[in-house]
Amino acid sequence: DPDDLLRDKGRAAMEQVLERAVPLVDMLWNKEEQAAPLNTPEDKAGLKDRIYAALRDIKHDNVREQYKTALLERFNNAYGYRRNSGNYTPRKAKKFVPQAQKGAMNAGAIIAGRQKLILAAILEWPALLEHVEDHFFDLEFARPAYRDIQGAVLSLLRRTNKVEKSELHSHIDAEGLGKTLKSLLRDKRLTEAAMGGADADPEQRVSLWISEYEALMGTSRDNTARDDTRSRMADSIREDNAEGLKRLMRASRGNRLN
């Protein structure tokens, strides 16, 4: 008791006690840390449980939060992750992607990009349809939303001989496809650049559009042929048909040389 200490031993003794005084947060930490061994993960989890139990006894919200921050930081420094500054963010493990899958993903991205460009060009310059109508409606777009836009263009074209840009966009929006339309028109500068620039003449745009179409179809055919070859090779392996496998390998090498 402070009064007893002052009466019995005087002011000097009280000053010594005050100099050796331990902050309450240190006392709480030392008490809970020394309450039980800390050799196993379960022991350390028990220390954290005791810290939370002690925090529940602190009624003042702000004081409780300050103690919580200080005590958990001590726990993490001593028994958990060590952080240099800021919040700890665990590093995500890198996902292994086989090389063959990477190639398929790259090819898929190229096809998706060309399909988007081809469709965006039609939406920007509907007059292209006068020259590429058969090609455009022969395409099978991978994304359902793009197929819906293609269908909307066709439905309008059936009602009018010449499709105007503003009329086309209004028609697509009325079909409930306004969100997809906006996403296709968002990269207008990229579309213009791919189609010869904003001032390109119509013939140049037609030529560039057809080049993109042919490149797209060529890529699609290459992928189809490659998938077909792989499928037939797998069939030959399953049937243990060694001679058939050799023929397929020779044919595959020949296609690459050509």
Side-chain angles (χ1 to χ4, degrees):
D1 182 75
D3 289 338
D4 293 339
L5 182 62
L6 283 169
R7 270 196 310 269
D8 296 341
K9 298 186 178 181
R11 178 176 176 177
M14 175 61 73
E15 288 177 348
Q16 287 181 347
V17 169
L18 292 175
E19 288 175 359
R20 297 196 303 269
V22 178
L24 185 57
V25 66
D26 292 341
M27 291 180 59
L28 182 57
W29 168 258
N30 293 335
K31 172 179 176 294
E32 301 302 343
E33 187 183 33
Q34 296 168 12
L38 294 169
N39 300 320
T40 67
E42 289 78 12
D43 293 341
K44 294 168 187 173
L47 171 59
K48 184 175 278 192
D49 289 340
R50 294 195 297 275
I51 289 173
Y52 276 109
L55 288 170
R56 285 194 289 272
D57 292 334
I58 301 175
K59 303 306 180 184
H60 193 287
D61 291 342
N62 291 334
V63 174
R64 183 171 58 251
E65 285 301 314
Q66 293 298 319
Y67 270 70
K68 178 180 177 182
T69 299
L71 291 170
L72 290 182
E73 184 168 0
R74 292 188 187 199
F75 177 88
N76 289 327
N77 286 336
Y79 305 107
Y81 61 79
R82 295 187 181 275
R83 60 185 180 185
N84 295 323
S85 62
N87 294 325
Y88 172 74
T89 303
R91 184 175 295 177
K92 293 183 179 179
K94 291 184 179 179
K95 184 179 179 181
F96 173 73
V97 180
Q99 194 62 39
Q101 186 177 343
K102 287 182 181 178
M105 291 166 62
N106 290 338
I110 291 171
I111 290 174
R114 282 195 169 125
Q115 288 192 349
K116 181 179 180 180
L117 172 60
I118 281 173
L119 184 53
I122 292 294
L123 297 175
E124 190 63 38
W125 302 287
L128 285 170
L129 287 168
E130 297 177 21
H131 308 278
V132 303
E133 178 181 340
D134 291 341
H135 295 323
F136 178 69
F137 293 113
D138 184 52
L139 282 172
E140 184 174 350
F141 288 97
R143 292 187 58 179
Y146 289 2
R147 292 198 294 270
D148 291 340
I149 294 282
Q150 184 186 37
V153 175
L154 178 60
S155 67
L156 180 61
L157 193 62
R158 284 172 174 167
R159 299 205 313 255
T160 180
N161 293 328
K162 186 176 182 180
V163 177
E164 297 292 343
K165 180 177 176 178
S166 59
E167 182 184 13
L168 175 60
H169 291 186
S170 296
H171 175 71
I172 291 172
D173 190 55
E175 292 288 315
L177 302 169
K179 186 176 180 180
T180 304
L181 175 65
K182 288 180 180 178
S183 71
L184 287 163
L185 298 177
R186 190 174 297 129
D187 297 326
K188 180 178 178 179
R189 290 185 179 179
L190 294 178
T191 305
E192 287 180 347
M195 292 290 110
D199 299 326
D201 61 73
E203 290 184 4
Q204 183 182 9
R205 286 204 189 106
V206 170
S207 177
L208 290 170
W209 192 98
I210 291 175
S211 294
E212 287 292 334
Y213 168 84
E214 290 176 344
L216 171 63
M217 298 304 290
T219 303
S220 300
R221 283 193 293 268
D222 288 346
N223 286 342
T224 300
R226 190 157 49 245
D227 291 342
D228 182 58
T229 299
R230 288 173 181 166
S231 176
R232 287 183 287 128
M233 288 178 72
D235 290 340
S236 296
I237 292 170
R238 283 193 293 269
E239 295 169 6
D240 197 23
N241 185 353
E243 185 58 36
L245 178 58
K246 289 177 182 177
R247 287 197 302 270
L248 286 171
M249 291 292 287
R250 287 196 295 271
S252 178
R253 285 197 295 270
N255 288 336
R256 288 198 298 270
L257 291 174
N258 293 333

